[in-house]
Amino acid sequence: MEELDTEIRVGELIDTIEYDYPTFHLSMDCFWCEVVAGHLELKEAEAAKWLTKDQLDSVVWLPADITLIDKIREQM
């Protein structure tokens, strides 16, 4: 609700990402989610878009996201 004004159902864990950026350490749990109610409205992010499996490489991902994107691709 906080970032998308949408109710979701949290599913299985995709992976936990651990990444050391120059000024901080990121630890991020990533889950499959399903929209339950509401409409997706970006409140915090600068940009977002829906991507098909074939479009995943059309985005310049942040370093911490790259391993996650590979795991998402494998499970799609």
Side-chain angles (χ1 to χ4, degrees), residues 38-57:
H39 59 284
L40 297 175
E41 177 183 330
L42 291 179
K43 292 183 165 188
E44 301 292 327
E46 294 179 19
K49 60 175 127 178
W50 294 106
L51 300 172
T52 66
K53 181 178 182 177
D54 294 334
Q55 295 170 321
L56 289 174
D57 292 326

Side-chain angles (χ1 to χ4, degrees), residues 17-29:
I17 303 302
E18 301 283 344
Y19 190 85
D20 288 314
Y21 282 100
T23 58
F24 68 96
H25 176 78
L26 172 72
S27 180
M28 176 173 63
D29 296 325

Side-chain angles (χ1 to χ4, degrees), residues 49-69:
K49 60 175 127 178
W50 294 106
L51 300 172
T52 66
K53 181 178 182 177
D54 294 334
Q55 295 170 321
L56 289 174
D57 292 326
S58 69
V59 174
V60 179
W61 298 102
L62 295 172
D65 297 333
I66 293 170
T67 58
L68 180 67
I69 297 307

Side-chain angles (χ1 to χ4, degrees), residues 10 12-18 26-33 68:
V10 178
E12 292 182 35
L13 177 72
I14 300 170
D15 200 4
T16 298
I17 303 302
E18 301 283 344
L26 172 72
S27 180
M28 176 173 63
D29 296 325
C30 303
F31 296 86
W32 290 106
C33 294
L68 180 67

